[in-house]
Amino acid sequence: MRVLIIDADTLRPDHTSPYGYQRRITPNLQALADEALMLTEYHAADTPCVPSRANFTSQRFGISSGAFGHEGYDADIRLTQWRSHTTQAPFLGYHLANEAGYHTATIGCFAERHQAWWVHSNFMETLRPTLSLGLDEDAKDISNAGIEWLQRRGQEEDWLLHLTYWEPHTDYYVDKAWADKARAAGPAPTWPDEATIQAHQKLYGAHSAVDLHGAYGAPSAQAHTMPDAVRHRADFEQLIDSYDGEIAYWDFHMGRRIDELKRLGLYES
C-alpha cells in the first residue's frame, strides 16, 4: 500500500468548499473530495500543535505520553516511560518500518519549530526543505520536496509519505495577490458582525480581537495582510481575506503534488 498524509496546520474545514464554504478557494481539494470518503463526524484527540502531533505519531493520549501542552516540559514525551512500552505502542514510523516493511518519510519543519525531535525521528527519512525554523516555510518548498520524493521513490511499494504545510497558520505571509483572489471569490463570512466585534473590544487576551499577535508583536512587513487588532468589520475582512488567501495558496501547491501523482501513474494506488 502507498500512503500519502497531507497535514495542513490550522486549516478549518468550514473554510473549504467540500465542507460548504461559500468562497470557492479550494478547487484541488474539492476535486480530491469528489472521489474520496469524507468524514463529517470527527474530533481531535489532543490539541494544539505539539499534543496533536504527539498523538498522531505515538498512538497515545497526552495524559499517557506526557506531551499534553504546547511548550516547555508540558510538551515533552516521557522517554523513561516510553522505553518500557515500545513493543506495546511503538511510534508510527517505527512500527510501519520494522513491523510492516514500509519505507517512511516526513517533510516539513514542525520538529525544529517546536523542538519536538521525536515527531520526525521515528521516520526513516526526514526532509526539511527550508533553512529556517518554519517562519518562512512555504507551501511551494514543501510541495517541491514532495514531488521530488515521489519521482525518486514513488514507484516502490509499501511507503508512507507525510507532508506538513505551515499554511494557513498565522502570521499570514501570503502575497497580497492571493488575498485579493480570495476577496474576489465572494463576501467574507457574515459573523462576527460589527456589534460582536465592538463587544470584543472589552475583552483582552493574547490572540484576542484587541491583540491578534499576542506577545510576538505585529510584524510590520505584514501590514498588507494582517491588522494588529480587529477593531472594526473592515479589520476582520482583511484578516479573513488573508487567511483564505493562504488556503488558496496551499490548495494550489497541494494540487501540484496531486497532478504529479497522476503523471507518475500513482494516483489510483
Side-chain angles (χ1 to χ4, degrees):
M1 182 183 297
R2 295 161 176 148
V3 182
L4 176 64
I5 298 177
I6 300 169
D7 183 347
D9 206 312
T10 70
L11 174 63
R12 291 177 59 105
D14 61 353
H15 276 248
T16 68
S17 55
Y19 288 93
Y21 195 41
Q22 70 273 20
R23 285 179 165 177
R24 300 301 178 182
I25 55 175
T26 52
N28 293 299
L29 185 64
Q30 182 64 62
L32 193 62
D34 288 341
E35 301 183 68
L37 173 67
M38 283 182 54
L39 302 181
T40 57
E41 300 290 337
Y42 47 82
H43 68 275
D46 286 293
T47 62
C49 300
V50 172
S52 68
R53 268 56 171 217
N55 179 271
F56 160 72
T57 197
S58 74
Q59 309 176 63
R60 287 176 174 264
F61 292 109
I63 195 171
S64 175
S65 71
F68 56 84
H70 196 47
E71 296 178 342
Y73 294 115
D74 293 343
D76 289 341
I77 287 281
R78 296 193 189 104
L79 289 180
T80 52
Q81 178 201 51
W82 195 262
R83 292 188 183 102
S84 64
H85 290 82
T86 299
T87 56
Q88 290 88 349
F91 281 90
L92 174 65
Y94 176 91
H95 174 75
L96 288 176
N98 290 275
E99 302 298 328
Y102 276 65
H103 185 92
T104 59
T106 183
I107 299 174
C109 299
F110 181 86
E112 288 81 4
R113 182 185 302 118
H114 290 282
Q115 298 182 14
W117 59 268
W118 39 266
V119 175
H120 289 175
S121 66
N122 64 104
F123 289 87
M124 296 174 71
E125 283 187 76
T126 298
L127 305 175
R128 181 160 62 92
T130 60
L131 295 177
S132 79
L133 298 184
L135 296 180
D136 65 352
E137 186 176 351
D138 192 285
K140 179 176 67 175
D141 297 327
I142 298 297
S143 281
N144 285 348
I147 288 170
E148 187 278 332
W149 192 94
L150 289 172
Q151 293 169 346
R152 177 165 51 90
R153 305 206 69 131
Q155 300 295 341
E156 300 176 9
E157 298 292 337
D158 296 337
W159 51 255
L160 179 143
L161 175 61
H162 170 236
L163 299 102
T164 301
Y165 287 91
W166 181 237
E167 289 92 357
H169 196 291
T170 55
D171 295 322
Y172 302 143
Y173 289 93
V174 69
D175 188 87
K176 185 176 181 295
W178 287 95
D180 293 341
K181 182 177 181 179
R183 186 180 305 110
T190 57
W191 191 90
D193 57 18
E194 186 66 30
T196 303
I197 292 171
Q198 291 310 309
H200 274 259
Q201 304 307 302
K202 303 174 184 179
L203 305 173
Y204 179 76
H207 306 291
S208 64
V210 297
D211 186 8
L212 280 181
H213 301 274
Y216 300 104
S220 58
Q222 293 311 111
H224 69 279
T225 56
M226 290 194 70
D228 59 353
V230 177
R231 300 182 180 87
H232 301 284
R233 175 71 187 179
D235 296 328
F236 167 76
E237 291 182 359
Q238 180 190 15
L239 188 71
I240 291 302
D241 290 343
S242 300
Y243 177 69
D244 287 349
E246 289 232 331
I247 294 175
Y249 182 73
W250 163 80
D251 181 83
F252 172 79
H253 287 290
M254 188 272 294
R256 291 174 51 229
R257 196 179 60 260
I258 298 300
D259 289 343
E260 185 65 13
L261 281 173
K262 294 177 179 179
R263 191 189 72 81
L264 293 171
L266 301 172
Y267 183 75
E268 296 300 326
S269 65

mmCIF file with all atom_site columns, all heavy atoms in Angstrom, residues 132-143:
data_model
loop_
_atom_site.group_PDB
_atom_site.id
_atom_site.type_symbol
_atom_site.label_atom_id
_atom_site.label_alt_id
_atom_site.label_comp_id
_atom_site.label_asym_id
_atom_site.label_entity_id
_atom_site.label_seq_id
_atom_site.pdbx_PDB_ins_code
_atom_site.Cartn_x
_atom_site.Cartn_y
_atom_site.Cartn_z
_atom_site.occupancy
_atom_site.B_iso_or_equiv
_atom_site.pdbx_formal_charge
_atom_site.auth_seq_id
_atom_site.auth_comp_id
_atom_site.auth_asym_id
_atom_site.auth_atom_id
_atom_site.pdbx_PDB_model_num
ATOM 1  N N   . SER A 1 132 ? 15.081 27.807 7.690  1.00 0.00 ? 132 SER A N   1
ATOM 2  C CA  . SER A 1 132 ? 14.618 28.444 8.915  1.00 0.00 ? 132 SER A CA  1
ATOM 3  C C   . SER A 1 132 ? 13.945 27.411 9.813  1.00 0.00 ? 132 SER A C   1
ATOM 4  O O   . SER A 1 132 ? 13.854 26.233 9.480  1.00 0.00 ? 132 SER A O   1
ATOM 5  C CB  . SER A 1 132 ? 13.621 29.548 8.579  1.00 0.00 ? 132 SER A CB  1
ATOM 6  O OG  . SER A 1 132 ? 12.358 28.987 8.292  1.00 0.00 ? 132 SER A OG  1
ATOM 7  N N   . LEU A 1 133 ? 13.421 27.885 10.941 1.00 0.00 ? 133 LEU A N   1
ATOM 8  C CA  . LEU A 1 133 ? 12.660 27.016 11.831 1.00 0.00 ? 133 LEU A CA  1
ATOM 9  C C   . LEU A 1 133 ? 11.189 27.047 11.471 1.00 0.00 ? 133 LEU A C   1
ATOM 10 O O   . LEU A 1 133 ? 10.352 26.651 12.272 1.00 0.00 ? 133 LEU A O   1
ATOM 11 C CB  . LEU A 1 133 ? 12.854 27.440 13.288 1.00 0.00 ? 133 LEU A CB  1
ATOM 12 C CG  . LEU A 1 133 ? 14.286 27.359 13.798 1.00 0.00 ? 133 LEU A CG  1
ATOM 13 C CD1 . LEU A 1 133 ? 14.346 27.706 15.284 1.00 0.00 ? 133 LEU A CD1 1
ATOM 14 C CD2 . LEU A 1 133 ? 14.855 25.975 13.575 1.00 0.00 ? 133 LEU A CD2 1
ATOM 15 N N   . GLY A 1 134 ? 10.871 27.548 10.293 1.00 0.00 ? 134 GLY A N   1
ATOM 16 C CA  . GLY A 1 134 ? 9.498  27.481 9.841  1.00 0.00 ? 134 GLY A CA  1
ATOM 17 C C   . GLY A 1 134 ? 8.850  28.811 9.547  1.00 0.00 ? 134 GLY A C   1
ATOM 18 O O   . GLY A 1 134 ? 7.775  28.859 8.959  1.00 0.00 ? 134 GLY A O   1
ATOM 19 N N   . LEU A 1 135 ? 9.481  29.926 9.934  1.00 0.00 ? 135 LEU A N   1
ATOM 20 C CA  . LEU A 1 135 ? 8.827  31.211 9.756  1.00 0.00 ? 135 LEU A CA  1
ATOM 21 C C   . LEU A 1 135 ? 8.704  31.599 8.292  1.00 0.00 ? 135 LEU A C   1
ATOM 22 O O   . LEU A 1 135 ? 7.841  32.394 7.938  1.00 0.00 ? 135 LEU A O   1
ATOM 23 C CB  . LEU A 1 135 ? 9.584  32.300 10.537 1.00 0.00 ? 135 LEU A CB  1
ATOM 24 C CG  . LEU A 1 135 ? 9.575  32.098 12.059 1.00 0.00 ? 135 LEU A CG  1
ATOM 25 C CD1 . LEU A 1 135 ? 10.341 33.226 12.741 1.00 0.00 ? 135 LEU A CD1 1
ATOM 26 C CD2 . LEU A 1 135 ? 8.155  32.057 12.588 1.00 0.00 ? 135 LEU A CD2 1
ATOM 27 N N   . ASP A 1 136 ? 9.571  31.081 7.438  1.00 0.00 ? 136 ASP A N   1
ATOM 28 C CA  . ASP A 1 136 ? 9.410  31.335 6.011  1.00 0.00 ? 136 ASP A CA  1
ATOM 29 C C   . ASP A 1 136 ? 9.157  30.025 5.259  1.00 0.00 ? 136 ASP A C   1
ATOM 30 O O   . ASP A 1 136 ? 9.382  29.932 4.071  1.00 0.00 ? 136 ASP A O   1
ATOM 31 C CB  . ASP A 1 136 ? 10.615 32.065 5.424  1.00 0.00 ? 136 ASP A CB  1
ATOM 32 C CG  . ASP A 1 136 ? 11.889 31.225 5.484  1.00 0.00 ? 136 ASP A CG  1
ATOM 33 O OD1 . ASP A 1 136 ? 11.865 30.154 6.098  1.00 0.00 ? 136 ASP A OD1 1
ATOM 34 O OD2 . ASP A 1 136 ? 12.905 31.670 4.915  1.00 0.00 ? 136 ASP A OD2 1
ATOM 35 N N   . GLU A 1 137 ? 8.678  29.027 5.994  1.00 0.00 ? 137 GLU A N   1
ATOM 36 C CA  . GLU A 1 137 ? 8.311  27.757 5.371  1.00 0.00 ? 137 GLU A CA  1
ATOM 37 C C   . GLU A 1 137 ? 7.194  28.028 4.367  1.00 0.00 ? 137 GLU A C   1
ATOM 38 O O   . GLU A 1 137 ? 6.202  28.684 4.675  1.00 0.00 ? 137 GLU A O   1
ATOM 39 C CB  . GLU A 1 137 ? 7.835  26.801 6.443  1.00 0.00 ? 137 GLU A CB  1
ATOM 40 C CG  . GLU A 1 137 ? 7.555  25.395 5.961  1.00 0.00 ? 137 GLU A CG  1
ATOM 41 C CD  . GLU A 1 137 ? 7.175  24.504 7.138  1.00 0.00 ? 137 GLU A CD  1
ATOM 42 O OE1 . GLU A 1 137 ? 7.309  24.959 8.278  1.00 0.00 ? 137 GLU A OE1 1
ATOM 43 O OE2 . GLU A 1 137 ? 6.734  23.370 6.904  1.00 0.00 ? 137 GLU A OE2 1
ATOM 44 N N   . ASP A 1 138 ? 7.360  27.516 3.175  1.00 0.00 ? 138 ASP A N   1
ATOM 45 C CA  . ASP A 1 138 ? 6.478  27.882 2.083  1.00 0.00 ? 138 ASP A CA  1
ATOM 46 C C   . ASP A 1 138 ? 5.879  26.624 1.465  1.00 0.00 ? 138 ASP A C   1
ATOM 47 O O   . ASP A 1 138 ? 6.577  25.623 1.267  1.00 0.00 ? 138 ASP A O   1
ATOM 48 C CB  . ASP A 1 138 ? 7.269  28.671 1.036  1.00 0.00 ? 138 ASP A CB  1
ATOM 49 C CG  . ASP A 1 138 ? 6.382  29.331 0.010  1.00 0.00 ? 138 ASP A CG  1
ATOM 50 O OD1 . ASP A 1 138 ? 5.862  28.610 -0.861 1.00 0.00 ? 138 ASP A OD1 1
ATOM 51 O OD2 . ASP A 1 138 ? 6.209  30.559 0.074  1.00 0.00 ? 138 ASP A OD2 1
ATOM 52 N N   . ALA A 1 139 ? 4.597  26.677 1.122  1.00 0.00 ? 139 ALA A N   1
ATOM 53 C CA  . ALA A 1 139 ? 3.925  25.531 0.514  1.00 0.00 ? 139 ALA A CA  1
ATOM 54 C C   . ALA A 1 139 ? 4.622  25.091 -0.768 1.00 0.00 ? 139 ALA A C   1
ATOM 55 O O   . ALA A 1 139 ? 4.657  23.898 -1.086 1.00 0.00 ? 139 ALA A O   1
ATOM 56 C CB  . ALA A 1 139 ? 2.461  25.870 0.240  1.00 0.00 ? 139 ALA A CB  1
ATOM 57 N N   . LYS A 1 140 ? 5.165  26.044 -1.498 1.00 0.00 ? 140 LYS A N   1
ATOM 58 C CA  . LYS A 1 140 ? 5.880  25.696 -2.724 1.00 0.00 ? 140 LYS A CA  1
ATOM 59 C C   . LYS A 1 140 ? 7.079  24.813 -2.416 1.00 0.00 ? 140 LYS A C   1
ATOM 60 O O   . LYS A 1 140 ? 7.321  23.813 -3.107 1.00 0.00 ? 140 LYS A O   1
ATOM 61 C CB  . LYS A 1 140 ? 6.349  26.964 -3.438 1.00 0.00 ? 140 LYS A CB  1
ATOM 62 C CG  . LYS A 1 140 ? 7.130  26.700 -4.719 1.00 0.00 ? 140 LYS A CG  1
ATOM 63 C CD  . LYS A 1 140 ? 7.482  28.000 -5.440 1.00 0.00 ? 140 LYS A CD  1
ATOM 64 C CE  . LYS A 1 140 ? 8.479  28.817 -4.626 1.00 0.00 ? 140 LYS A CE  1
ATOM 65 N NZ  . LYS A 1 140 ? 8.919  30.022 -5.344 1.00 0.00 ? 140 LYS A NZ  1
ATOM 66 N N   . ASP A 1 141 ? 7.830  25.138 -1.354 1.00 0.00 ? 141 ASP A N   1
ATOM 67 C CA  . ASP A 1 141 ? 9.004  24.344 -0.990 1.00 0.00 ? 141 ASP A CA  1
ATOM 68 C C   . ASP A 1 141 ? 8.603  22.946 -0.536 1.00 0.00 ? 141 ASP A C   1
ATOM 69 O O   . ASP A 1 141 ? 9.256  21.950 -0.880 1.00 0.00 ? 141 ASP A O   1
ATOM 70 C CB  . ASP A 1 141 ? 9.789  25.035 0.122  1.00 0.00 ? 141 ASP A CB  1
ATOM 71 C CG  . ASP A 1 141 ? 10.347 26.383 -0.303 1.00 0.00 ? 141 ASP A CG  1
ATOM 72 O OD1 . ASP A 1 141 ? 10.689 26.518 -1.491 1.00 0.00 ? 141 ASP A OD1 1
ATOM 73 O OD2 . ASP A 1 141 ? 10.412 27.293 0.538  1.00 0.00 ? 141 ASP A OD2 1
ATOM 74 N N   . ILE A 1 142 ? 7.526  22.852 0.257  1.00 0.00 ? 142 ILE A N   1
ATOM 75 C CA  . ILE A 1 142 ? 7.068  21.546 0.734  1.00 0.00 ? 142 ILE A CA  1
ATOM 76 C C   . ILE A 1 142 ? 6.613  20.689 -0.441 1.00 0.00 ? 142 ILE A C   1
ATOM 77 O O   . ILE A 1 142 ? 6.963  19.503 -0.541 1.00 0.00 ? 142 ILE A O   1
ATOM 78 C CB  . ILE A 1 142 ? 5.932  21.718 1.752  1.00 0.00 ? 142 ILE A CB  1
ATOM 79 C CG1 . ILE A 1 142 ? 6.423  22.506 2.984  1.00 0.00 ? 142 ILE A CG1 1
ATOM 80 C CG2 . ILE A 1 142 ? 5.383  20.358 2.174  1.00 0.00 ? 142 ILE A CG2 1
ATOM 81 C CD1 . ILE A 1 142 ? 7.517  21.840 3.768  1.00 0.00 ? 142 ILE A CD1 1
ATOM 82 N N   . SER A 1 143 ? 5.841  21.278 -1.350 1.00 0.00 ? 143 SER A N   1
ATOM 83 C CA  . SER A 1 143 ? 5.373  20.511 -2.498 1.00 0.00 ? 143 SER A CA  1
ATOM 84 C C   . SER A 1 143 ? 6.520  20.119 -3.421 1.00 0.00 ? 143 SER A C   1
ATOM 85 O O   . SER A 1 143 ? 6.541  19.003 -3.961 1.00 0.00 ? 143 SER A O   1
ATOM 86 C CB  . SER A 1 143 ? 4.313  21.300 -3.266 1.00 0.00 ? 143 SER A CB  1
ATOM 87 O OG  . SER A 1 143 ? 3.060  21.225 -2.622 1.00 0.00 ? 143 SER A OG  1
#
